[in-house]
Amino acid sequence: MTDLTALKYTAEHEWIALDGDVATVGITAYAADKLGDVVFVELPAVGSTVTAATVVGEIESTKSVGELYAPLTGEVLEINEAVVDDPSLVNADPFGAGWLVKLTVDPAAVADLLDRDAYISLTGGAE
């Protein structure tokens, strides 16, 4: 199981796990729950450059369509093809098999993101 306190978060309900200069990104269980059943995921192309706080993809559910924001500036190293093929992974395991993209980033930029306590405060106590 993922140590949720080791992750960083954004106000757009994304989580970031940093390993060296590689950031794995997904949406939180809170966001997955609010979206409802995810039925389609569009992710950026591998090798493309993304800029922090810009829209880089789309997550469509039975309730609505949500935009995926880049939490950090960097290059798309890998996308989760399993989620593209089976979007329900976002709901079933948002902090594990439901990850979305891996970015090569400047590790120092992660310090500006929210820690677990700040994220839970943002959601009013929901995880």
Side-chain angles (χ1 to χ4, degrees), residues 1-114:
M1 178 168 181
T2 303
D3 178 5
L4 301 182
T5 60
L7 303 177
K8 290 291 195 170
Y9 300 87
T10 69
E12 288 74 32
H13 308 289
E14 295 157 334
W15 58 263
I16 298 92
L18 188 66
D19 182 12
D21 66 349
V22 176
T24 302
V25 178
I27 66 169
T28 65
Y30 175 82
D33 183 58
K34 292 295 181 191
L35 280 169
D37 295 334
V38 175
V39 295
F40 176 78
V41 175
E42 179 183 310
L43 299 174
V46 172
S48 63
T49 299
V50 297
T51 303
T54 62
V55 174
V56 297
E58 196 171 274
I59 300 174
E60 187 176 326
S61 72
T62 53
K63 288 183 180 177
S64 66
V65 176
E67 295 177 323
L68 176 65
Y69 291 87
L72 302 161
T73 297
E75 181 179 335
V76 178
L77 184 65
E78 183 179 349
I79 64 169
N80 188 350
E81 295 287 353
V83 164
V84 173
D85 293 340
D86 181 7
S88 70
L89 288 173
V90 173
N91 296 106
D93 191 9
F95 294 105
W99 66 272
L100 299 174
V101 297
K102 291 187 179 187
L103 306 172
T104 303
V105 301
D106 175 0
V110 175
D112 295 335
L113 300 176
L114 303 172

